[in-house]
Structures are given as C-alpha cells and as structure tokens.
Amino acid sequence: MDTNRPPSVHALATSLADTGLPHPLLVDAARQAIAAGDPESARSIAEGIEVSLLRRVINATGTLLHTNLGRAPLAVEEPAGYRNIELDLATGERGSRQSQAPTLLARACGAEAALAVNNCASAVMLVLAALAPGRDVAVSRGELVEIGGGFRIPEVLEQSGARLLEVGTTNRTRTDDYRRRMADPATDVAMILQVHQSNYKISGFTEMPTTAQLAELDVPLVADIGSGLLDAACPWLPDGPPRWLADEPAARQTLEDGASLVVFSGDKLLGGPQAGIIAGGAELVARCGRHPLARALRPGGLVLGALQRTALAYLARDGQAIPFWRMATTPVDELRARAEALGVGRVIETASVPGGGTLPTVEIPSVGVAVAGDRRAELRGAPVPIVARVEEDATICDLRTVDPTDDILLGQALEALDA
Ligand SMILES: *Cc1c(COP(=O)(O)O)cnc(C)c1O
C-alpha cells in the first residue's frame, strides 16, 4: 500500500471480507482505523467487533447461575417456522400465549394459574400496578432491598403507582406490626409484599413473620421468592433436595402456606430462559393479565418455547433434562473422572456456587483443573470462549459448570496454553 495516501475505506473494508462480518461493520472498522492514522489496525478492530457479538461460551467459573453469562444455561434450537403461539389448534379460534408454558408451570407448582412476563422485576411491577394502583403496599423494612442490577423495591413500588407502607424495623418485623399499620384508618392497604432476601443475610437479633403468619392477615399476600425453586421436595431429583438448598423458599410451599401469588425468575433455580412468572389464584392472575402493562411485558415465542420445555421436564420429574439441575447435582466423582481424563493441568478439589444472587453463602463441592498464572484472557480467546476464574495465582476451570460435551474443547484450549 502507498504509505503516503490513506487507502480508500471501501478498499480496506473489502480486504477484510474473509472475517465473515457484514460489509457495513467492516466499513466501520476501516473508517476507525483510517481516522486513527493506522489502516493496518483495521483487521484487529474488525476482530474486536466479532468478539463482541453474542455467542456461546463455556462457563468454567463454577458459578452455576452466572449473571454475566445469562444465568441458567439456555437450550434453544428452534428451526425457522411459525408456532401456534396464539392459536388454539383444537378449535381454530384465537388462543392465548399464556395457555401453554405458564399453565404447565402452574400445574408443576400447584397454582390455579400462572402468567409469564419478561423477568421477575417486571412480574413484581405488573402485580403492583394491577392489584394496588394508588393504594398502600405493606413491606417490612427488612425487605426494602436492592436485588442486583438496580432492582430496588422502594423504587419499583414508586414506579408502579402503588404507595409503599413501611412496616417494622430493618432487623425485626412482627405480624402485629402489619396488623397495627393496617388498622390505622389513614392507611389503605391493598396487599402485603413479602420479598425474599435473595442475595444477602441479616443475622443476629432478627425476626421476620413466616408466609403462613402473613397469609392470615386480611389482605392478599404476594411473595417475591426470586429464585424460582418450584417445589422444596425437588421431586425431579431422584435423591430429593440437595443439602445446599437449605431453606430456599419454593413456589409450591409458599402457595400452600397461603400466599395469594408468588412471583419468581425463570432463569435462576428454575433453570429456564429469562422470564418472570406470576403464579397463584386464577382471579388475581387474570387481573394481572388484563392490565395494559402485561402486553408490554409479554415474552416472545422463543422464550415461551424454552419455558415450555422446562415446565414439561419438571412435570416429567426429569431433572436431568434441565441443564441447571443436571450440572448442580453431578456427583463429585464424575467431575473428578472428567478432570483426570482431560490430562492437562492439576486436578483440584474446589467449590462451585449457585450464583445469580441466590443462596449467597452456599458452596457446592466440585472438582476442577488448575494451571499456573492468570490465563483467563487466553482462554477467552479460544474458538469457543472459555470463562474461568483465578485463585491464588492459578487459573481454575471448574468442571461442574462445563457441559461434558465441551470437555474436549476445554482440554484443547488448556493444552494450547502450554504450547
Ligand atoms: C432476582 C430477583 C429479582 C429480579 O429478578 P429478574 O428476573 O432478574 O428480574 C426480584 N426479586 C427477587 C427476590 C430476586 O431474587
């Protein structure tokens, strides 16, 4: 190239066609490189654009619900085609997109009805907007929390058009505190909102009413349980609930304890796609579904398809068909055998975590391979990027969050480090 004259943007972009990126993105890379006075850098800029695209990665961090990796592992392989998303195939009449996956989930957690929206934050927002507009919603001061990504209960309440009625104190709230506030003629309590302390713990001199106690009060109780554990008995696992699940609230038991509605995420312990579920009494669920916000927050066919697949696995009691549960319950011996079979790095005992802002202090015994130094950047550059973690100057790849079919790719990437 003539170094005195900058190459034309078009020529430079065309010379990068082998990257496979669409031409307009190559033009952007070429322009940026020429503007920086370094046309040669166009290729690395184009590669940077490619790396920034959404793609499959291998999660070797040991964090099962990794917020930066989309929480629960997602299985979507849908061929192009129409779906009966709002058509009743039996009658030929218009149907409801809420009649499939949400109805199956309701069946799986013992609810009369359920509704799916975009995520749990929007589920809470919709419930408040539909059931308590301009009225008071009683929340314990111990539950006025921020749950990751700027989801703050007081702010969500304000946005919904409901009024926050603070009850009790940060560390201690009793059922009588709610009673007293509700008896005050100046208040107009439409519902009690119970919010699970997903990502933090208050310990020491503490007291909080149970769901069953709050359900005895005279207004509907809505429980935001967050993680979406469907049933505390975990009937989809042959050995029942794993020990690390501890006292995580579950949808079925929260409803049995008398909550009018539960809301939870689709992509935490439920192990499905990003979604928010509102489950409980048919009349309250229907009122949420009729609110104009429900239309704005409704999920599309891809999400409903993935959610339906998850719901069917629960109903079939097939935890192995739900990637999150399959990974979370893989026996340590199996992980060790896989780590040894990689034949690279040092096999170590380690600990995975549930992640995703759930079960903040829980660790799950696991096995990984360790290599010296911080090799994360190189692993991220592998053909299928691998995300690992660093501990005490070693890079650790935890096998619990790696699908066994990816072991070969992981082994190849680790071997390439030695070269
Ligand atoms: C995670 C969580 C949310 C937010 O869920 P998203 O699906 O991320 O919107 C809300 N409430 C509780 C209690 C949670 O744990």
Side-chain angles (χ1 to χ4, degrees), residues 161-248:
R163 273 194 314 266
L164 170 62
L165 187 71
E166 300 186 15
V167 179
T169 64
T170 303
N171 58 327
R172 305 199 89 187
T173 303
R174 302 181 186 83
T175 318
D176 266 345
D177 293 327
Y178 289 89
R179 272 205 193 92
R180 218 169 310 120
R181 295 294 266 149
M182 286 163 54
D184 179 347
T187 66
D188 173 28
V189 178
M191 68 160 84
I192 294 170
L193 177 66
Q194 193 184 28
V195 183
H196 177 52
Q197 301 171 349
S198 298
N199 52 2
Y200 70 103
K201 268 199 156 67
I202 301 182
S203 58
F205 187 56
T206 63
E207 184 177 345
M208 284 286 162
T210 63
T211 299
Q213 286 166 338
L214 290 181
E216 280 174 16
L217 302 178
D218 273 344
V219 295
L221 170 65
V222 175
D224 174 7
I225 61 170
S227 80
L229 177 63
L230 219 47
D231 185 334
C234 298
W236 56 90
L237 300 177
D239 298 328
R243 218 173 318 146
W244 48 262
L245 215 44
D247 296 324
E248 184 67 11

Side-chain angles (χ1 to χ4, degrees), residues 67 71 118-124 145 147-148 151 153 194-199 223-228 248 263-268 273-277 356-358:
T67 307
R71 292 192 187 148
N118 185 50
N119 55 16
C120 186
S122 49
V124 174
V145 297
I147 300 163
F151 177 78
I153 295 294
Q194 193 184 28
V195 183
H196 177 52
Q197 301 171 349
S198 298
N199 52 2
D224 174 7
I225 61 170
S227 80
E248 184 67 11
V263 300
F264 51 89
S265 293
D267 49 346
K268 293 182 182 171
Q274 181 193 304
I277 314 297
T358 61

